[in-house]
Amino acid sequence: MRSTHSLRSRFAILIALLVGSLTWLLGTLMGNDASERIREEVGRDLAELSYMMIDRLDRDMESRAGMLQVLGQLQVLGQSRDTAQVRRLLDRLQAEFPSIAWIGLTDEAGTVLASSNGILENVSIAQRPVFLEGSKGLFIGDVHEAVLLAKLLPNPTGEAMKFVDISLPVHDAAGSLRGVLASHLSWSWADEVRQSILEPIQQRRHVDFFVIGSDRTLILGPKELIGQRLHLAALDDLKPGESRWAVEQWPDGTEYLTGLSLSHGHNDYAGLGWTVIARQPLEDAYAPAYEVLRAILIWGSALALLFAFIGWLLAGYFTRPLQQIADAADRLSAGQPSAIPELSGTREIEQLSQSIRHLVESLTNQEAALGTLENLAHHDALTGLPNRTALDRFLLHAQQRCQLTNSTLALLYLDLDGFKPINDRFGHATGDQVLRETAIRLRGCLREGDLVARLGGDEFLMVLMVPTEDALQQAELIAQRTLSALSAPVRLEDQQLQVGCSIGGALWPLHSEQLDEALKLADQALYRAKHAGRNRVLFHSGPTS
């Protein structure tokens, strides 16, 4: 089947595929490498961001605790019972530190003596952890809700307010407990810390911060997730002060680059076991790598088309002489007079045209010689009959045809009677003329599709394809006709010579399913015919298979 694509189009397609494949390969390798680098870089950045935030929270908590410790040592709190003066001090402190939602001073029984903005004054908080733990020493409590206090404090957002407790005992000059300095820090302070860290990077990448408590309960993050436990593999075995990053699948089914840092406190503040988590969607992190890959593929595709067009033009220039040679070769193969043109141009084209011209001349000269050699290779030189090589090939094809048509092969071995005396008396030249005449008569006895081959000397083999139903009858008919034809005298110039023949036959696959065995049976039948008086036909008499 002739190809519908020219060499120049294939050359252009090859260049396009080559450039496209290289672009895709380089783009993929660069994209994968960039993705790995970006993942590691962004992962480390997220781990650093989470560490910055947890460190900031620890430092802020420690500084506020330290501030209250300094405040608790003031004589005005330990000796004075001027509640107005204490209230003014607490109001000023709250004004300076807006994160302090409420601060108050209680007596030794837990009743609030003075507080910022007078909230909860004369109210007992003796049963609250902020008093119970604060009376024993410095107390820093975890995030919690204070329903009563939340109702008394302004809340413009309307969202549930959360607080962190810091309290400590207040003693007089003699060291006796005079009360507890208690404070509630607004948890919104943590969100302000988050915003201050997040704002510079939020324009470049979409990052979310989360804070979870020691029990892995979310205490800062999206409202719908607050209070839920967060189970991430990266949280396991995380040590205080340690930062790490990993690719985690979150409960929403999305994969995120996740950086984590566990609180380790600051100075005397041991921390509350908080963990800060910074995350970024993996797809957002890979976005720069995807952009690079997209740009590479776009430019690579454009270059592939450009180089393919250039290659198409160049291939046309170089293949034009080849087309001229091909046209001349087509005319020669069609039998039209033509000659391979002498082309000038590149050295290779000139050499090719010369080589093809020489090849055509050589092939023309060799064609006749090959025909002669093939005839000699498959035919007997004296009689022109097929030889053993041609016989073997014919038998192979004849078997296949018989299997397809359900036919039978009749195998007839022939041996001339009285040939040796003629050869001895009149010489080999006369014997050769007898053999040539015998070959002519044998051909005349054959039908279309049959074959007679000279096996050597005066031995011949006839191969007939006959219908299976009356195979033996038809084989005997042709054998008798052959016997009659060879019995006629041979006239050579002024001499008349008499020869005959003996014929032994067998049928394949009726007498034997093995072709070699059937040939042996025919040979044995010939042997019996010669010993039975010659000039006769005998077939294998055994049962058919």
Side-chain angles (χ1 to χ4, degrees):
M1 183 177 178
R2 189 171 182 177
S3 174
T4 57
H5 300 289
S6 64
L7 178 60
R8 66 188 306 192
S9 63
R10 290 187 177 187
F11 189 65
I13 293 173
L14 178 62
I15 291 178
L17 290 176
L18 181 61
V19 176
S21 299
L22 288 175
T23 300
W24 177 83
L25 179 61
L26 291 176
T28 302
L29 292 176
M30 293 175 64
N32 290 338
D33 182 67
S35 298
E36 291 294 329
R37 292 175 181 271
I38 288 174
R39 182 168 62 180
E40 291 186 11
E41 182 179 351
V42 173
R44 287 195 299 266
D45 288 347
L46 293 175
E48 290 176 2
L49 288 173
S50 65
Y51 181 83
M52 288 172 57
M53 183 169 176
I54 195 64
D55 184 66
R56 175 79 175 273
L57 293 176
D58 286 342
R59 288 175 181 272
D60 285 358
M61 286 292 291
E62 191 272 338
S63 65
R64 281 157 178 72
M67 177 190 63
L68 289 183
Q69 285 179 305
V70 173
L71 183 63
Q73 294 175 3
L74 296 178
Q75 292 183 357
V76 67
L77 298 182
Q79 298 178 2
S80 174
R81 288 303 181 185
D82 186 350
T83 57
Q85 183 182 9
V86 174
R87 187 185 304 115
R88 286 195 297 271
L89 178 61
L90 299 179
D91 286 341
R92 184 173 179 180
L93 181 64
Q94 185 188 39
E96 293 293 331
F97 298 93
S99 60
I100 300 178
W102 177 86
I103 185 170
L105 178 66
T106 70
D107 59 15
E108 59 273 17
T111 301
V112 179
L113 299 176
S115 66
S116 56
N117 298 318
I119 297 174
L120 295 183
E121 286 186 359
N122 299 320
V123 174
S124 175
I125 60 172
Q127 301 303 317
R128 305 290 178 83
V130 70
F131 174 79
L132 295 174
E133 299 297 331
S135 62
K136 302 174 185 177
L138 178 63
F139 168 70
I140 301 177
D142 211 336
V143 180
H144 67 92
E145 293 185 9
V147 179
L148 178 60
L149 185 60
K151 293 179 180 179
L152 301 175
L153 294 174
N155 185 12
T157 63
E159 298 179 2
M161 300 180 68
K162 294 181 180 296
F163 305 94
V164 177
D165 294 340
I166 301 179
S167 61
L168 51 86
V170 177
H171 299 93
D172 57 16
S176 300
L177 179 66
R178 294 296 304 275
V180 172
L181 181 61
S183 68
H184 291 303
L185 299 182
S186 174
W187 184 232
S188 61
W189 142 75
D191 192 56
E192 293 172 1
V193 172
R194 181 184 69 88
Q195 292 290 347
S196 66
I197 296 176
L198 194 60
E199 186 174 354
I201 63 170
Q202 197 67 1
Q203 294 180 351
R204 293 185 293 113
R205 61 180 67 164
H206 181 67
V207 178
D208 295 319
F209 274 112
F210 302 84
V211 179
I212 60 175
S214 57
D215 59 353
R216 297 192 180 182
T217 299
L218 192 67
I219 56 178
L220 179 65
K223 291 184 292 184
E224 64 274 10
L225 298 179
I226 296 296
Q228 297 185 16
R229 290 182 180 274
L230 192 60
H231 299 284
L232 297 176
L235 289 170
D236 297 338
D237 302 325
L238 188 63
K239 299 177 182 179
E242 181 185 359
S243 297
R244 67 173 60 160
W245 68 272
V247 177
E248 289 281 352
Q249 185 174 26
W250 282 58
D252 61 1
T254 305
E255 287 190 329
Y256 293 87
L257 272 172
T258 308
L260 312 94
S261 293
L262 179 60
S263 169
H264 62 286
H266 185 69
N267 293 336
D268 295 335
Y269 169 57
L272 296 174
W274 295 341
T275 302
V276 172
I277 303 174
R279 76 175 190 185
Q280 182 181 19
L282 195 60
E283 194 146 328
D284 290 355
Y286 285 165
Y290 294 153
E291 290 295 329
V292 171
L293 179 59
R294 189 178 299 110
I296 291 175
L297 293 178
I298 291 174
W299 280 104
S301 301
L303 289 175
L305 294 175
L306 176 62
F307 283 117
F309 178 70
I310 295 174
W312 185 79
L313 295 177
L314 291 175
Y317 173 77
F318 288 108
T319 58
R320 193 175 296 111
L322 298 178
Q323 185 62 47
Q324 296 176 8
I325 295 175
D327 293 340
D330 287 341
R331 290 193 294 271
L332 284 173
S333 64
Q336 302 175 6
S338 181
I340 303 298
E342 293 187 14
L343 301 174
S344 61
T346 63
R347 182 182 62 185
E348 290 80 3
I349 293 296
E350 293 178 2
Q351 184 177 356
L352 177 63
S353 63
Q354 293 176 4
S355 299
I356 293 180
R357 283 201 312 276
H358 295 158
L359 177 62
V360 170
E361 294 173 359
S362 177
L363 289 176
T364 303
N365 295 331
Q366 291 180 10
E367 185 175 358
L370 286 174
T372 303
L373 290 175
E374 184 177 1
N375 186 66
L376 291 174
H378 295 88
H379 291 80
D380 176 53
L382 175 63
T383 64
L385 293 179
N387 57 16
R388 287 184 178 273
T389 302
L391 175 64
D392 292 338
R393 294 174 61 182
F394 180 82
L395 287 173
L396 179 62
H397 294 303
Q399 279 184 289
Q400 296 173 350
R401 291 200 305 271
C402 285
Q403 291 171 349
L404 293 175
T405 60
N406 193 24
S407 300
T408 298
L409 286 182
L411 308 171
L412 305 181
Y413 265 103
L414 291 85
D415 187 81
L416 297 182
D417 297 329
F419 175 74
K420 188 175 185 301
I422 293 175
N423 210 32
D424 294 340
R425 179 180 176 184
F426 298 101
H428 291 291
T430 301
D432 290 345
Q433 289 183 337
V434 172
L435 289 175
R436 282 193 287 267
E437 177 64 22
T438 301
I440 294 173
R441 295 183 184 186
L442 288 176
R443 284 197 189 97
C445 296
L446 296 179
R447 306 163 305 168
E448 183 178 358
D450 296 339
L451 177 99
V452 59
R454 184 188 180 195
L455 302 181
D458 59 347
E459 295 183 357
F460 301 86
L461 177 67
M462 298 180 72
V463 182
L464 315 174
M465 185 178 294
V466 294
T468 303
E469 294 79 9
D470 55 350
L472 185 59
Q473 292 82 350
Q474 289 205 25
E476 288 180 340
L477 179 63
I478 296 174
Q480 291 294 339
R481 186 168 63 194
T482 302
L483 192 67
S484 176
L486 295 183
S487 298
V490 178
R491 290 181 175 82
L492 299 177
E493 298 178 355
D494 57 347
Q495 301 181 53
Q496 184 172 307
L497 305 176
Q498 185 74 37
V499 294
C501 75
S502 299
I503 301 175
L507 302 176
W508 176 89
L510 300 180
H511 289 153
S512 175
E513 294 184 355
Q514 302 297 324
L515 184 60
D516 291 343
E517 183 65 26
L519 288 169
K520 290 179 181 179
L521 295 177
D523 190 34
Q524 293 171 4
L526 172 64
Y527 179 80
R528 293 197 305 274
K530 293 182 76 67
H531 281 271
R534 302 188 178 185
N535 197 32
R536 67 187 61 216
V537 177
L538 286 180
F539 275 82
H540 175 67
S541 59
T544 59
S545 50

